[in-house]
Amino acid sequence: MHQDTFMRDSIPPVERLVITLQYLGTGQSLASLHYAFLVGKSTASMIIRETCVAIWDALHAAVMAQPHKEQWKEIADVFQRTCQFPNCAGAIDGKHIRIKKPVRSGSQYYNYKKYFSFVLFAMCDANYSFRYIDVGSYGSRSDSVVFAHSEFGKMLQDKALDLPDHTTLPGTTSPAMPFVFVGDEAFALGENLMRPYSSRGLSLARRVFNYRLTRARRVVECAFGILANKWRFLHTPIHLKLETAISAVKAACVLHNFVRARDGYNFDDSLTHSLQSHRPSVVRGHRQGAAVREQFTAYFMSPHGALPWQLEAI
């Protein structure tokens, strides 16, 4: 038996978990873990990979299960209560995760910011918990491409997310509106996906819409901030093999949800983090999405949908 394998197998599960959480929580180098726990660097790397896979397998179904129709309604109720954006089922965004250059990867993971990365795409609720993640797409890809190729994006396109039926907005009797996800300008406008208007020559109503959408969309920024500030290995480039780095990010995301349920929702400085956003790409929406966005825009200017402070805020 290889010496590293023998040493790894002789380390009890509790110590493996401690080593992994120490790495995820501090971002310590493998050399530092070697001195702290008296294990070889390759052994520490294997322990991190195996433990992160075990964490994902143990927690994923419990803390990141796909919502069903009633749960989508509950998510939307929290968005309405905290962000005043009705019929919002989640906020989406993608972040670059810095890594060392993967072996034989060419330029696929080399992004426009001139470093190597893969993408963490996430959809979160208004309580800053991740409801869906996609980890590992090439850093050279745009958010819209990552989204389109993700399981979540395909399910949204195929109407397979079990979203609630269309319903009227609070205080109105018509029209019946779809449940939507909110994102930035990197995503294509759709019936169930709202993005801001282009910033050129906006009317007052469209400026208000952009403000209202931003208030809802910023929860995903806060979620990323909480994630990175709790699991600080995300603040620096990950010097692990690509497969191990992906497993570490997935484990951090389910641990984020696990801790959220126990720590509550008050976090300081959650918008300050080192995760980099994608460069917006030129993506086209379709007419249904444009019509839904115009209806939200009109509602946010109506007596039933306007906020007292929105005109001063834009």
Side-chain angles (χ1 to χ4, degrees), residues 9-301:
D9 291 345
S10 67
I11 297 172
V14 171
E15 187 171 349
R16 296 185 188 197
L17 182 60
V18 170
I19 290 171
T20 302
L21 293 179
Q22 180 79 359
Y23 171 74
L24 297 178
T26 67
Q28 281 183 250
S29 67
L30 294 178
S32 178
L33 293 173
H34 161 68
Y35 288 111
F37 295 95
L38 301 179
V39 297
K41 289 187 286 186
S42 60
T43 300
S45 179
M46 285 188 288
I47 287 172
I48 291 169
R49 176 174 59 82
E50 292 173 355
T51 307
C52 285
V53 170
I55 290 171
W56 171 263
D57 290 343
L59 294 180
H60 175 244
V63 303
M64 205 182 289
Q66 180 182 323
H68 54 69
K69 196 181 297 287
E70 291 305 313
Q71 289 174 322
W72 286 122
K73 291 180 181 178
E74 292 172 4
I75 291 171
D77 286 344
V78 179
F79 268 102
Q80 168 64 11
R81 187 169 65 252
T82 60
C83 304
Q84 291 77 51
F85 200 112
N87 285 29
C88 182
I92 62 174
D93 199 7
K95 295 295 180 184
H96 288 288
I97 305 297
R98 290 174 177 261
I99 55 173
K100 67 177 182 180
K101 181 182 179 181
V103 177
R104 294 186 294 275
S105 65
S107 61
Q108 291 173 320
Y109 290 95
Y110 194 65
N111 64 50
Y112 78 101
K113 292 181 179 287
K114 312 298 183 184
Y115 60 81
F116 291 94
S117 68
F118 59 75
V119 178
L120 165 58
F121 167 79
M123 186 274 288
C124 79
D125 61 29
N127 288 327
Y128 314 116
S129 291
F130 297 116
R131 294 304 185 119
Y132 175 86
I133 60 170
D134 182 276
V135 187
S137 293
Y138 300 138
S140 58
R141 286 182 169 179
S142 67
D143 272 353
S144 59
V145 172
V146 173
F147 173 74
H149 286 83
S150 70
E151 181 184 1
F152 178 81
K154 292 175 182 176
M155 291 182 73
L156 182 63
Q157 177 69 28
D158 296 338
K159 308 291 185 183
L161 285 176
D162 195 29
L163 291 173
D165 297 333
H166 290 25
T167 185
T168 56
L169 302 181
T172 68
T173 57
S174 66
M177 296 284 284
F179 283 76
V180 299
F181 299 91
V182 294
D184 63 17
E185 62 274 12
F187 297 97
L189 183 67
E191 182 184 13
N192 301 107
L193 180 53
M194 294 291 99
R195 57 168 282 172
Y197 290 100
S198 172
S199 59
R200 294 183 178 180
L202 291 181
S203 66
L204 178 64
R206 292 186 173 190
R207 288 164 58 200
V208 167
F209 173 87
N210 283 2
Y211 166 69
R212 297 287 291 271
L213 181 139
T214 298
R215 294 184 76 248
R217 194 194 65 80
R218 71 187 295 273
V219 301
V220 70
E221 285 288 341
C222 289
F224 283 129
I226 296 166
L227 174 74
N229 290 333
K230 175 73 77 173
W231 308 105
R232 302 190 69 82
F233 80 107
L234 294 169
H235 280 286
T236 57
I238 302 176
H239 291 281
L240 298 172
K241 291 181 179 178
L242 179 62
E243 180 183 350
T244 305
I246 291 172
S247 293
V249 172
K250 291 170 67 175
C253 289
V254 291
L255 285 169
H256 166 91
N257 282 10
F258 183 81
V259 172
R260 294 290 303 142
R262 289 152 179 81
D263 273 7
Y265 305 130
N266 295 318
F267 283 83
D268 293 330
D269 202 26
S270 61
L271 285 175
T272 302
H273 58 80
S274 58
L275 303 182
Q276 298 290 320
S277 296
H278 265 163
R279 175 176 54 187
S281 56
V282 179
V283 288
R284 292 184 178 180
H286 57 68
R287 291 181 181 178
Q288 269 187 308
V292 170
R293 186 168 63 177
E294 288 294 338
Q295 287 167 339
F296 272 113
T297 301
Y299 176 74
F300 292 150
M301 295 298 289

